[in-house]
Amino acid sequence: MDRLNMMAIFIAVAEQEGFAGAARLLNISPPAVTRAVAALEAHLGVKLFNRTTRFVRLTEAGQRYAEDTRRIIAAADEADEAATGINAEPKGHLVVTAPVLFGRSYVMPGISDYLQKYKNTEVTALFLDRIVNLLEEGVDVGIRIGELPDSSYKALRVGQVRRVLCASPSYLAEHGIPSTPDALVKHQLIVAGAISATVDWRFENDGSPVSIRIKPRLRVTSNDAAIEAAVLGLGITRLLSYQIATQLASGELIIIMREFEPKPMPINIIHREGRYASAKIRSFVDLMSTRLRNDLALS
């Protein structure tokens, strides 16, 4: 049995946490799985699994080897796809991640187009308001808002968003429009996010940073709740521009104090680096980048 095939069997055992489960997944006999793992351990001269009657777990050496093996198998798959030609039909399972509201409003319509266009694909969408490690969590493509740290990911800039102050016309008519960050202390403020003892809102004034410690009248744990509260006229809130695009278009909310906004934050599509992008990833990135770049709310 060739080594790449043994590696694939080894990964199946690791992921299924059992020899029988790996055999069912690969549609081969359990003895064949056992022989492949034994041959791999003999070749390496290390023990890859701890085995009991109840479970099969990777050893420390096995964990390190599994990380390297996954990369080797992925590279081999990429090479196979590249050999079939640039116009190969996208197929297989794609995992995508994005922030919750952005994913719901901007990524899900793109996923819908992708699934309708490419019939042999499936998508798992992870919409989470946290940074997802693409490699550790098995994600193919991520949409990130904000500056990217140095990484091995390929990144494609597709737009930008701003951190804005907004309120309803009824609130502003009753309480007036603040003209400077200092004036916010006289207003009812709504804060979204983790509940903390202190809240600082940061602005820029002629290129210089300005930080204001505020005392919110209302604290909520989600951006959806902050948007709803602002629409109801409960005060001024601070959100990302894309999060209130619908309310701005309808006139339910108005952006204020634009001259004090921090610099815009970039939107990037990222995916794991490789010599070749697989057809399923390449086609999704192309489709999504076109959609996002053509959206006026993200320019």
Side-chain angles (χ1 to χ4, degrees):
M1 186 179 295
D2 68 87
R3 197 186 310 175
L4 190 61
N5 194 23
M6 290 192 293
M7 287 178 173
I9 294 173
F10 160 69
I11 290 298
V13 174
E15 292 178 348
Q16 296 295 312
E17 297 186 343
F19 287 72
R24 287 192 296 270
L25 179 67
L26 300 173
N27 196 29
I28 59 177
S29 68
V33 173
T34 301
R35 286 194 299 271
V37 172
L40 197 55
E41 288 180 326
H43 169 75
L44 297 171
V46 297
K47 186 178 181 181
L48 297 173
F49 293 103
N50 288 316
R51 307 164 176 82
T52 72
T53 56
R54 292 183 299 171
F55 66 81
V56 175
R57 297 287 189 274
L58 287 167
T59 62
E60 185 177 348
Q63 291 173 354
R64 292 195 301 269
Y65 189 65
E67 293 175 3
D68 293 334
T69 298
R70 287 189 178 95
R71 286 194 291 269
I72 292 169
I73 292 173
D77 290 342
E78 289 175 358
D80 287 348
E81 290 202 16
T84 65
I86 193 70
N87 296 316
E89 177 71 13
K91 61 181 179 180
H93 185 210
L94 185 75
V95 183
V96 179
T97 186
V100 174
L101 285 181
F102 192 88
R104 187 177 69 194
S105 300
Y106 296 95
V107 180
M108 186 53 72
I111 290 174
S112 175
D113 287 352
Y114 180 79
L115 290 173
Q116 291 180 45
K117 186 174 182 179
Y118 303 112
K119 301 301 183 181
N120 294 319
T121 59
E122 308 91 40
V123 173
T124 295
L126 305 177
F127 295 154
L128 303 166
D129 286 331
R130 65 173 176 83
I131 299 298
V132 174
N133 186 302
L134 270 58
L135 181 60
E136 291 182 359
E137 301 187 46
V139 176
D140 297 300
V141 180
I143 291 86
R144 294 271 175 86
I145 297 174
E147 298 295 337
L148 294 175
D150 292 336
S151 73
S152 61
Y153 300 143
K154 288 187 176 179
L156 180 66
R157 182 161 176 162
V158 293
Q160 63 181 23
V161 296
R162 297 154 29 229
R163 195 174 292 280
V164 301
L165 289 180
C166 63
S168 68
S170 62
Y171 174 86
L172 296 174
E174 180 179 352
H175 299 276
I177 301 175
S179 58
T180 65
D182 290 335
L184 290 171
V185 297
K186 300 178 181 178
H187 284 265
Q188 297 178 178
L189 305 178
I190 304 163
V191 169
I195 304 301
S196 59
T198 60
V199 179
D200 293 327
W201 281 357
R202 293 176 173 80
F203 303 90
E204 285 192 11
N205 187 6
D206 293 330
S208 299
V210 177
S211 181
I212 301 296
R213 179 151 295 182
I214 66 166
K215 183 178 180 181
R217 180 88 189 277
L218 174 64
R219 298 171 185 256
V220 294
T221 56
S222 73
N223 294 318
D224 280 326
I227 294 169
E228 182 64 21
V231 168
L232 292 173
L234 297 182
I236 298 171
T237 191
R238 191 167 187 251
L239 296 160
L240 296 178
S241 53
Y242 80 85
Q243 296 170 334
I244 56 170
T246 300
Q247 291 76 16
L248 292 175
S250 67
E252 294 175 288
L253 293 176
I254 297 173
I255 292 177
I256 61 174
M257 291 173 51
R258 290 177 182 264
E259 64 271 28
F260 294 99
E261 291 175 7
K263 66 178 182 179
M265 293 179 288
I267 304 169
N268 285 285
I269 299 177
I270 63 173
H271 61 88
R272 284 178 283 175
E273 185 97 34
R275 288 187 301 165
Y276 314 103
S278 67
K280 66 179 181 181
I281 292 176
R282 183 175 60 249
S283 57
F284 182 80
V285 170
D286 288 346
L287 183 152
M288 187 58 63
S289 63
T290 299
R291 288 185 61 92
L292 297 180
R293 283 172 169 165
N294 289 336
D295 195 310
L296 295 179
L298 307 177
S299 60

